[in-house]
Amino acid sequence: MQFGLLFPGQGSQHTGMGRELFEEYKLARETYEDADRILGYSISSISFDGPEETLRETRNTQPALFVHGIAAFRVLSESGFEFSVAAGHSLGEYSALTAAGALEFADALRLVRRRGELMHEAGLKRPGSMAAILGLSQAEVIEICDEASRAGVVQPANLNSSSQSVISGELVAVEAAVNLARERGAKRAVMLPVSGAFHSPLMESASLGLSKILAEIKINRAEFPVVANYSALPVREPEDIREHLAKQVLGAVRWEESVRRMLSTGVRHFLEVGPGNVLKGLMRSVDKEATVLSAGTPGDIASAVALLDRQKVT
């Protein structure tokens, strides 16, 4: 049985994530030990013990989620799973590319750490905000952003499902869009507590910084397709990957399109590799028949392996 991989992004983190993997599996423990050595500080301690405020800092959240995802992925791979396609939500795209062999673990970890720093710095240079809008179609959200852009920069940042989106841009424009969304009948339109306008043109300096780093690191041809956030198209070639990663922080995460692209390959079973089950919920809004198993703890992995074993028998 072929599986698809889903890797979550920021917002899925919590203090204590990865501790059980570290304690249960030698391969996961080695992954965390390697990460601590590569980074020169203990991302494992921040992941396991916090404090929460430290883990929530973008420069720590991103490598913490990346290491957790790769530790769990390595355990799954060793357990006999085979994968044919992958996608990751924002930061999770780096995990997906590493799982597909396009990025080496050490390079990807340093890149993710620097990505978090660059995004934080971009947020200081060009302050902005983000907001979640529920209950309006993507077309309605795009139209609202177009209208609100008279007040400043604002655009869709995450197109998660047919009725769940996130917008990003300059504070006054995001607030204007939120007010318009409420007037148009949104179930919820709320400002988010973020440190910058991620996935918007306000991240231009971060994109430029990433482009320079990406030009210097080795990228391999991916072993299986990774559906890119920026285009919702599968990428495998090194230059395509470089281009998409640099643009990713500027454009919307086209998640619903990405999921539909994965489903179009015929894959019906997916593993959400990381903490939480946010992507499982989003899959349910796209295709209720697709199976998504959480794979962030030893218990999750044991359940997934049991399913794989049953399928082999039948």
Side-chain angles (χ1 to χ4, degrees):
M1 179 191 295
Q2 294 287 316
F3 284 80
L5 289 164
L6 306 173
F7 290 91
Q10 276 186 254
S12 297
Q13 73 277 358
H14 62 82
T15 301
M17 67 179 191
R19 183 192 296 276
E20 291 180 332
L21 289 173
F22 180 92
E23 293 173 347
E24 181 76 16
Y25 301 109
K26 180 174 182 286
L27 194 52
R29 184 165 58 255
E30 290 172 348
T31 301
Y32 273 99
E33 290 170 348
D34 284 347
D36 290 349
R37 176 182 52 77
I38 291 164
L39 291 173
Y41 68 94
S42 183
I43 195 64
S44 58
S45 295
I46 293 173
S47 300
F48 303 161
D49 304 317
E52 192 72 32
E53 314 86 74
T54 303
L55 179 60
R56 275 203 306 264
E57 293 177 15
T58 300
R59 60 182 179 173
N60 294 324
T61 306
Q62 296 198 18
L65 284 168
F66 172 79
V67 176
H68 184 224
I70 296 304
F73 165 76
R74 287 175 170 175
V75 173
L76 289 164
S77 297
E78 195 177 54
S79 300
F81 285 90
E82 295 181 1
F83 309 105
S84 59
V85 67
H89 196 286
S90 192
L91 162 78
E93 189 164 330
Y94 289 79
S95 308
L97 288 164
T98 304
L103 294 173
E104 301 296 333
F105 177 74
D107 289 336
L109 180 56
R110 294 188 187 99
L111 184 57
V112 162
R113 166 70 176 183
R114 187 61 186 137
R115 178 181 186 264
E117 292 172 342
L118 287 166
M119 290 172 74
H120 176 73
E121 292 164 8
L124 295 176
K125 290 175 185 174
R126 298 188 69 186
S129 191
M130 302 177 75
I133 298 178
L134 308 181
L136 295 181
S137 70
Q138 292 180 11
E140 288 173 310
V141 170
I142 292 169
E143 183 179 332
I144 284 168
C145 287
D146 286 343
E147 291 184 35
S149 64
R150 289 193 290 265
V153 175
V154 60
Q155 69 176 40
N158 301 336
L159 296 168
N160 289 329
S161 72
S162 59
S163 61
Q164 184 189 128
S165 300
V166 174
I167 61 175
S168 180
E170 294 173 316
L171 177 60
V172 64
V174 173
E175 289 176 336
V178 165
N179 290 332
L180 285 170
R182 290 169 180 164
E183 291 172 8
R184 306 287 167 84
K187 290 181 181 178
R188 289 191 72 200
V190 295
M191 303 296 290
L192 298 176
V194 295
S195 59
F198 305 140
H199 297 289
S200 85
L202 274 65
M203 290 285 115
E204 183 177 5
S205 64
S207 178
L208 292 172
L210 279 170
S211 294
K212 292 177 182 177
I213 301 168
L214 287 163
E216 297 171 357
I217 68 170
K218 180 184 178 183
I219 299 181
N220 306 309
R221 187 174 190 273
E223 295 166 10
F224 46 81
V226 175
V227 180
N229 290 178
Y230 183 79
S231 64
L233 295 173
V235 296
R236 295 187 73 172
E237 301 303 327
E239 288 312 308
D240 289 338
I241 291 168
R242 282 191 177 89
E243 180 182 357
H244 277 79
L245 288 180
K247 289 179 176 178
Q248 190 219 50
V249 294
L250 299 173
V253 175
R254 295 163 63 177
W255 188 252
E256 182 182 12
E257 284 183 74
S258 297
V259 168
R260 292 191 185 281
R261 180 74 61 178
M262 297 176 82
L263 291 167
S264 73
T265 68
V267 176
R268 310 301 300 166
H269 302 283
F270 297 85
L271 295 170
E272 181 169 356
V273 189
N277 54 14
V278 170
L279 302 182
K280 180 178 181 178
L282 293 178
M283 176 67 78
R284 196 177 297 123
S285 70
V286 176
D287 187 336
K288 292 182 174 60
E289 302 303 315
T291 301
V292 181
L293 301 175
S294 298
T297 68
D300 291 340
I301 291 173
S303 297
V305 171
L307 171 66
L308 182 65
D309 291 342
R310 288 197 300 272
Q311 293 295 329
K312 287 178 178 177
V313 170
T314 57

